[in-house]
Amino acid sequence: MPEYSSNEGPLEQARTYGNLLVFSARRSPLALTPEHVATIAHLARLEVRDEDVSGYCDRLSRILEFVAQLEAVDTSAVEPMAHAERMSQRLREDTAVPVSERDLFQQNAPATDGGLYLVPKVIE
Amino acid sequence: MSELHSKTLAELSGLLADGETSSVELTRTLLERVGARDAELNSFITVTPERALAQAEAADARRKRGDAGPLTGLPLVHKDIFCTRGVKTSCGSRMLDNFVAPYDATVVQRLDAAGMVMLGKSNMDEFAMGSSNETSWYGPVRNPWDTARVPGGSSGGSVAAVAASFAPAATGTDTGGSIRQPAAFTNLTGLKPTYGRVSRYGMIAFASSLDQAGTITRTAEDAAMMLGAMAGFDDADSTSVDREVPVYRATLNRDLKGLKVGVPVEFFDEGLDSKVADAVQAALDVYRSLGCEVVKVSLPNLMLSVPTYYVIAPAECASNLSRFDGARFGYRCENPRDLTDMYERSRGDGFGDEVKRRIMTGTYVLSAGYYDAYYLKAQKTRHLIAADFAKAFEEVDLLMGPTTPTPAFKLGEKTDDPITMYLNDIYVNGVNLAGLPGLSIPMGFIDGLPVGFQIIGNHFQEALMLNAAHRYQCETDWHTRTPEGFK
């Protein structure tokens, strides 16, 4: 993994490695800039209109600042908890359960053709 | 004798069994009421009169054949987060405005099998993200107790419909308080069961490690009837727990003498309205008079639950909502230039602001370089919060306190600042993080607005919670009050 010096800004230093966009880690809460919001929105595949950017900057910054209070908690001896019940994942036999309702499912599709889902051209 | 529309499930069940009314008559009465009055509240997204009357006729026929159960012929509303085959299932979002579910959620299947009649689908915060029902694509829901105020959220349409006597019961879901907080705001009984108790299959996912389906009713007895039909193992949900479902109704009247009740001191922080605190003390006095021992306990990390929740829930939301891509179902933008444009504009236009904020928050906290600082950290603080509850339950049988810091707030009052809105859920978020069952019951009024009393149980202690709630409702009549404008 690449290393960044600690005085670099967070997303300004974001770089792309393959498809992975790597942020430089920093510890303190931050005020997001319009560029940050654009980067996050693109990662999430969300269009954000220009006139809405400053609103997202403000509110997302407030949320991140609010959750940053967790940093002050000593969790050095605490295991992460991924699930409410400490249950083990239930497994089942890997058997096919055919569901032959393609036509019904495709009634919800924006565009289909001969049982296929249509999307814009991916490869020229 | 109250009118048909304001009766409980238990009362109506008795009337149907005695032949005093029929499911068709009851269903017609309620559908007419919805048609006449729901424009004032906006509690329904979809009303399904034809389906309802067909189900009511089938229920009456079933009763004639002699194979009716206690819920057969009783109407309800399903939160529009539950997939209902052949009926629009929008989840309160433009994204799914055109989505007709191709299958039924397990909860819907089970209540159908019990013979319940679906009147329609209730309004909700978009994808269940909200505490006021103001984020719905279909517009806000109003509180029948004061139509200038919110009904709470995200199950806002479900509670408004029951509080206005459009239906005797509704389903809800609770990821961070979305059943209990709205029940508290509308003088209803709202139960969020233990994580894994009720199947999540066909319930549109928001935060999968927190989401749980539950009941919205007038009484604990009704909640017991409904939960019994909804709960139980389901092979189609990988986190469903294979554990016997007790007959909740059978233990409602058990003596509470000697029961140890813990009151977390952290529930009485500076954010708590002093009148709500007084109402909690009065409710605790009822439990003392029933022979319970009330002791103070501490949940020292409880105040971390809201920030912990607002890392974990958005992270899971960002992952779950990635399925809405405009390709196979849901909203697709006009004339996409290419695939990325299709994703970005379909999601940008299909989702509302709060949902986009949560997706972006989740994307941020999961991104490389921030994952440890936010997401992993929150999983650890989640563990601390859960451990506090576990420790408390070594000492006491139930925990009790307020459901919300204040009664229902006004529409628009908290929409400018997400944090103010989030902090309204300070007493309810922790229960989801720990996977525990939580219940809110009516405990009085402040300036004409209802307030809720929260009962939290250890894992799978729903029977004890309902027992405690029922005994309280035998001693008090708060739960019998209905709003003046919707008698």
Side-chain angles (χ1 to χ4, degrees):
Chain A
M1 291 287 283
E3 286 185 33
Y4 301 113
S5 62
S6 58
N7 61 0
E8 280 178 316
L11 300 186
E12 293 91 324
Q13 299 303 322
R15 291 165 203 183
T16 307
Y17 292 87
N19 288 325
L20 180 70
L21 198 138
V22 181
F23 295 116
S24 67
R26 51 166 294 165
R27 295 179 58 78
S28 58
L30 56 118
L32 296 178
T33 65
E35 291 72 30
H36 298 150
V37 169
T39 307
I40 298 165
H42 177 66
L43 280 173
R45 297 295 183 271
L46 287 172
E47 184 190 62
V48 174
R49 291 197 182 83
D50 290 344
E51 64 265 32
D52 296 332
V53 169
S54 71
Y56 282 111
C57 281
D58 170 49
R59 288 172 184 194
L60 290 174
S61 297
R62 278 195 260 172
I63 292 166
L64 292 173
E65 197 173 323
F66 174 70
V67 302
Q69 63 183 284
L70 298 179
E71 283 177 26
V73 184
D74 179 7
T75 52
S76 50
V78 185
E79 286 294 311
M81 175 176 168
H83 234 271
E85 276 283 279
R86 263 152 269 163
M87 58 175 84
S88 55
Q89 185 69 45
R90 187 161 45 81
L91 300 174
R92 58 176 164 77
E93 290 300 314
D94 185 16
T95 46
V97 183
V99 178
S100 54
E101 294 195 284
R102 186 179 66 184
D103 292 347
L104 178 66
F105 296 160
Q106 291 205 329
Q107 283 171 17
N108 279 306
T112 60
D113 184 13
L116 304 173
Y117 291 93
L118 297 185
V119 295
K121 195 181 256 186
V122 179
I123 301 163
E124 290 297 330
Chain B
M1 184 116 157
S2 62
E3 305 263 357
L4 210 53
H5 59 250
S6 53
K7 291 191 183 302
T8 65
L9 289 178
E11 289 167 343
L12 293 167
S13 183
L15 291 178
L16 287 170
D18 295 343
E20 301 274 332
T21 186
S22 67
S23 180
V24 168
E25 184 190 3
L26 179 58
T27 301
R28 283 222 173 93
T29 303
L30 295 173
L31 285 170
E32 275 168 25
R33 199 172 157 83
V34 172
R37 303 292 309 272
D38 192 43
E40 297 162 57
L41 300 176
N42 197 26
S43 69
F44 279 75
I45 290 175
T46 306
V47 186
T48 52
E50 284 166 28
R51 178 185 160 120
L53 287 168
Q55 282 187 317
E57 280 166 20
D60 287 337
R62 185 170 159 180
R63 188 170 299 281
K64 261 193 197 121
R65 288 198 308 274
D67 67 348
L71 293 170
T72 305
L74 297 177
L76 91 167
V77 189
H78 280 303
K79 185 175 181 180
D80 209 18
I81 198 168
F82 292 101
C83 284
T84 41
R85 187 177 168 110
V87 176
K88 176 167 121 174
T89 301
S90 74
C91 222
S93 182
R94 182 186 192 188
M95 181 61 84
L96 292 176
D97 182 51
N98 59 4
F99 181 70
V100 178
Y103 67 99
D104 281 325
T106 298
V107 163
V108 173
Q109 278 174 35
R110 289 189 177 179
L111 294 174
D112 272 1
M116 290 195 87
V117 172
M118 181 179 91
L119 299 174
K121 307 289 294 286
S122 61
N123 202 343
M124 56 181 285
D125 278 300
E126 185 178 10
F127 286 102
M129 297 173 203
S131 307
S132 65
N133 215 120
E134 292 171 287
T135 72
S136 171
W137 165 250
Y138 301 92
V141 177
R142 292 173 180 273
N143 189 326
W145 290 92
D146 176 354
T147 53
R149 292 177 190 269
V150 304
S154 66
S155 308
S158 289
V159 294
V162 179
S165 298
F166 296 155
T171 51
T173 58
D174 190 317
T175 302
S178 283
I179 287 175
R180 290 161 287 153
Q181 182 254 23
F185 281 4
T186 53
N187 206 45
L188 296 173
T189 299
L191 170 64
K192 174 237 175 266
T194 308
Y195 184 82
R197 178 78 286 189
V198 176
S199 171
R200 293 182 297 110
Y201 180 71
M203 186 175 115
I204 295 169
F206 156 19
S208 301
S209 79
L210 305 167
D211 296 342
Q212 182 62 203
T215 61
I216 288 155
T217 55
R218 298 202 171 97
T219 65
E221 183 180 22
D222 286 2
M225 289 171 71
M226 244 174 104
L227 180 64
M230 287 163 69
F233 178 68
D234 179 13
D235 200 40
D237 171 2
S238 68
T239 57
S240 173
V241 175
D242 194 356
R243 188 179 164 122
E244 195 188 344
V245 179
V247 181
Y248 297 110
R249 213 177 167 186
T251 51
L252 289 173
N253 286 305
R254 275 195 185 161
D255 197 345
L256 298 181
K257 205 166 183 330
L259 192 81
K260 207 162 172 189
V261 169
V263 181
V265 292
E266 291 77 10
F267 279 5
F268 297 85
D269 65 332
E270 72 230 25
L272 182 68
D273 182 323
S274 65
K275 289 175 182 166
V276 178
D278 293 345
V280 170
Q281 293 305 340
L284 290 170
D285 283 341
V286 172
Y287 281 102
R288 286 189 188 97
S289 75
L290 288 168
C292 299
E293 184 192 350
V294 179
V295 298
K296 278 186 188 171
V297 295
S298 179
L299 303 171
N301 294 292
L302 187 83
M303 293 306 142
L304 300 176
S305 58
V306 181
T308 300
Y309 180 87
Y310 279 97
V311 173
I312 289 175
E316 295 185 14
C317 138
S319 171
N320 272 322
L321 271 61
S322 65
R323 77 192 60 189
F324 300 102
D325 57 4
R328 293 151 300 146
F329 54 85
Y331 176 81
R332 180 185 291 187
C333 65
E334 298 283 337
N335 306 315
R337 286 189 307 277
D338 53 32
L339 202 59
T340 302
D341 182 54
M342 183 184 87
Y343 293 152
E344 295 192 345
R345 283 200 293 127
S346 297
R347 290 163 60 79
D349 295 344
F351 294 135
D353 278 346
E354 179 63 21
V355 171
K356 282 189 269 197
R357 270 200 290 278
R358 296 210 195 177
I359 291 173
M360 287 197 269
T361 306
T363 302
Y364 183 84
V365 300
L366 288 175
S367 53
Y370 286 98
Y371 180 92
D372 285 3
Y374 287 102
Y375 188 64
L376 194 65
K377 185 77 184 185
Q379 286 190 312
K380 290 178 177 177
T381 52
R382 179 179 186 177
H383 202 159
L384 290 174
I385 294 159
D388 284 353
F389 278 106
K391 189 157 173 278
F393 282 119
E394 287 172 11
E395 307 293 323
V396 301
D397 301 302
L398 293 173
L399 294 170
M400 295 186 181
T403 307
T404 60
T406 63
F409 44 92
K410 290 192 168 140
L411 276 105
E413 189 178 321
K414 294 182 195 282
T415 43
D416 280 346
D417 182 9
I419 305 302
T420 315
M421 184 73 87
Y422 297 171
L423 283 171
N424 194 254
D425 291 331
I426 192 153
Y427 308 133
V428 284
N429 277 172
V431 170
N432 300 77
L433 291 166
L436 296 166
L439 175 68
S440 181
I441 53 174
M443 67 163 178
F445 290 82
I446 294 173
D447 303 327
L449 295 171
V451 283
F453 184 68
Q454 189 175 204
I455 301 175
I456 302 165
N458 208 344
H459 293 103
F460 298 100
Q461 290 301 304
E462 288 85 354
L464 179 63
M465 297 157 64
L466 290 164
N467 171 202
H470 178 71
R471 291 303 301 260
Y472 177 84
Q473 292 181 338
C474 290
E475 301 294 317
T476 58
D477 66 355
W478 305 117
H479 63 286
T480 64
R481 315 235 178 141
T482 53
E484 207 48 57
F486 290 85
K487 289 289 178 197

